Amino acid sequence: MTSTVNLFVFGLGDSAGAFARSMLAEDATVSGTVRSQEKAEALRAEGIATIVFDGAAPSAGAVAALREATHLVLSIPPGETGDPVLRFHAEDIAAAKNLRWIGYLSTIGVYGDYGGAWVSERTTPHPRPGRSAHRLDAEKAWRALAEKRALPLAILRLAGIYGPGNNALKNLAEAKARRIVKADQVFNRIHVDDIVATLHAAINTNADGIFNVCDDEPAPPQDVIEFAATLMGVPVPTATDFETADLTPMARSFYGENKRVLNRRIRQELGVRLAHPTYREGIASLWQSGRWR
């Protein structure tokens, strides 16, 4: 990557923020948005030109930054009223003359439930009403904008994200980990570092299309907790049956979808080699490095 890259990120959360920092290390110009002034000031101290955008009104700072941007990454989820970036800044993005590539961070949740079967980028999505359906609508809207501008758009469908500060080790240390067991239930996951690597590969190859960003091994959630507890040398939490577990509606909804997601396209077309191909490598790396806290 060279300094000719001027990256703008809508939504500097954990994953996009980690990517932004990695781009700074490669001498790119990096700017983006957050929802609070406090976080904006913290990121400015790291060298990221940060603008407050809460999704409720257009941002003059974003308009100015988009005029210079060569690469755009979108990491703000849509809501009931649609994608806030498209709502307030679609025309600004369409008019951004320097723009060369767009990346949209979506979710494998758009596929819906496949009863534990394998799915790929060719699988027809049938998301549940609500958050995942809004994501699929946003994907389509971004595709329409990219085609209008004749720009490559990489839609990265992310699995369950874990990494520093968000992992089974920390949950165990804080006595928040639960071993919820539902027969035959599996999930794919992805380490933040591997999301960052995939974004780099997508930019470097000018990637266009849909890419599943997930690990190689969809696994039962209780296995992850057990593995982490064993690493830490702490008792494995008692298993709780899903049917009788006290879960919030949102937590319970995650178990309503069961699928195994293939990541072949990021490996074959983008050349990505996952640093953490399963949860075992990812959790062990966090534990050994001390980055889990």
Side-chain angles (χ1 to χ4, degrees), residues 40-179:
E41 291 173 1
L43 288 174
R44 287 172 193 148
E46 295 185 45
I48 300 173
T50 311
I51 300 156
V52 175
F53 173 64
D54 63 6
S59 164
V63 173
L66 285 166
R67 293 193 190 106
E68 306 300 324
T70 60
H71 295 74
L72 177 64
V73 170
L74 305 146
S75 184
I76 296 178
E80 295 288 341
T81 58
D83 188 304
V85 179
L86 286 170
R87 181 181 179 189
F88 293 114
H89 292 292
E91 291 184 5
D92 304 315
I93 293 166
K97 295 182 180 179
N98 295 324
L99 198 59
R100 305 199 300 261
W101 179 87
I102 301 174
Y104 181 70
L105 303 188
S106 186
T107 169
I108 61 172
V110 300
Y111 293 113
D113 181 29
Y114 268 84
W118 286 96
V119 302
S120 73
E121 291 87 351
R122 295 183 179 182
T123 300
T124 301
H126 52 73
R128 290 186 168 201
R131 291 172 299 150
S132 294
H134 298 328
R135 281 286 193 183
L136 186 60
D137 289 341
E139 286 186 8
K140 293 175 181 177
W142 280 108
R143 175 58 62 194
L145 185 151
E147 289 178 352
K148 182 178 179 180
R149 271 292 313 272
L151 287 171
L153 167 69
I155 296 173
L156 306 183
R157 291 177 174 167
L158 309 182
I161 302 168
Y162 71 102
N166 176 29
N167 55 76
L169 298 161
K170 184 176 181 182
N171 291 340
L172 282 160
E174 296 177 353
K176 295 178 180 178
R178 301 177 66 188
R179 289 182 65 236

Side-chain angles (χ1 to χ4, degrees), residues 7 13 24 26 31 37 40 53 60 80 108 112 122 128 138 198 200 210 218 220 228 230 250 263 270 279-280 287:
L7 171 70
L24 273 183
E26 297 200 4
S31 56
Q37 188 63 42
F53 173 64
E80 295 288 341
I108 61 172
R122 295 183 179 182
R128 290 186 168 201
T198 303
H200 277 281
I210 297 170
T230 301
M250 180 175 290
N263 63 13
L270 304 186
Y279 70 85
R280 286 178 291 274
W287 177 246

